[in-house]
Amino acid sequence: MTRSIQILFTACLLILQSLPIQAADKGTVLITGANRGIGLALAEQFTAAGYQVIGTARKPEKATELAKLGARLEALDVTDTDSVAQLSNRLEGIAIDILINNAGISGHNTKEFASLDIEQLDWVFQVNSFGPLRVTQALLPQLALGSKKQIINISSMMGSMELNTWGGYLGYRGSKSALNSFNTTLSVEYGKKGYTFVVMHPGYVQTDMNNGNGEITPTTSAEGIFKVVSGLKPADNGAFYDHSGKTMPW
């Protein structure tokens, strides 16, 4: 090997060693509702850590911040069976290591139960409870190809019946309690198959859902969630954690 070729080889090797770890080395994470708030902050965390991120939004053409991260953008309405099925078809054969069901809404609420329009509560259940079920069910083939097989359902302390000491928010509370119950059932059914189902309380986060009146930023929440998810083990299957890794009461 001539001196010039040796120099060129060494230079190429140094360049390769300085490049960030490729996404394929870490795996693939799919995050629903990744165009803003906690979802976007999670996409930032996983992208920075070297994961391939698939982010969904109802209108992906408007998810400009997500696009800047280099994530794969996919259209998804978690309340629409056809939309969910189409997503699964587009991702056929792609291994998904981590699924984060993040998309959610606060839904209809009133200060007085007597004035609550119960019929309007259906929508919050369609998004917060049945949405994660639809997405998880549709992506089972992709999750089966993944090495981690982790399903993270973003819930809330509002879904904890033990912590419900001030009432109100019937639709939101009920939808998150239902999500917690679904997660427990699926953890039992799929735990022996190598899957890990976890629900997480992200904290009281400053998002559009509460008009920015939270206690922590989406970035702080996402940093904590990322740390917890990164440390998950099979023994965590069926657990309920907050963003700091604290076990939450049911």
Side-chain angles (χ1 to χ4, degrees), residues 176-199:
K176 292 301 186 179
S177 293
L179 176 61
N180 291 357
S181 178
F182 294 159
N183 186 88
T184 297
T185 298
L186 292 174
S187 73
V188 172
E189 294 184 5
Y190 283 86
K192 295 181 180 179
K193 300 177 182 180
Y195 290 77
T196 302
F197 280 81
V198 172
V199 283

Side-chain angles (χ1 to χ4, degrees), residues 12 26 38 57 62 76 140 155 158 160 211 217 222 227 229 234 245:
C12 291
K26 281 297 187 74
I38 299 170
K62 294 185 177 181
L76 177 66
L140 279 175
S155 184
M158 298 281 277
S160 167
N211 298 313
T217 66
K227 184 176 181 179
V229 173

Side-chain angles (χ1 to χ4, degrees), residues 78-97:
V78 300
T79 69
D80 187 329
T81 302
D82 289 338
S83 176
V84 175
Q86 289 168 15
L87 173 68
S88 181
N89 290 336
R90 292 194 299 271
L91 299 179
E92 183 178 3
I94 295 177
I96 295 177
D97 298 283

Side-chain angles (χ1 to χ4, degrees), residues 229-246:
V229 173
S230 297
L232 286 178
K233 299 176 177 61
D236 294 304
N237 182 42
F240 184 8
Y241 295 122
D242 73 0
H243 73 285
S244 70
K246 175 185 175 182

Side-chain angles (χ1 to χ4, degrees), residues 22-123:
Q22 295 299 306
D25 292 338
K26 281 297 187 74
T28 298
V29 56
L30 187 146
I31 306 168
T32 66
N35 56 307
R36 61 182 180 179
I38 299 170
L40 178 59
L42 283 170
E44 293 171 345
Q45 291 292 316
F46 280 93
T47 298
Y51 283 81
Q52 172 63 50
V53 174
I54 303 173
T56 77
R58 286 187 300 133
K59 298 179 179 180
E61 68 277 5
K62 294 185 177 181
T64 55
E65 294 300 314
L66 183 60
K68 291 178 182 178
L69 296 176
R72 172 171 173 169
L73 273 64
E74 290 288 348
L76 177 66
D77 181 345
V78 300
T79 69
D80 187 329
T81 302
D82 289 338
S83 176
V84 175
Q86 289 168 15
L87 173 68
S88 181
N89 290 336
R90 292 194 299 271
L91 299 179
E92 183 178 3
I94 295 177
I96 295 177
D97 298 283
I98 305 171
L99 168 61
I100 302 181
N101 287 308
N102 167 72
I105 60 172
S106 57
H108 168 67
N109 184 56
T110 60
K111 292 183 178 180
E112 298 294 334
F113 172 60
S115 59
L116 185 72
D117 185 347
I118 296 174
E119 299 308 315
Q120 288 194 44
L121 301 188
D122 176 70
W123 186 244

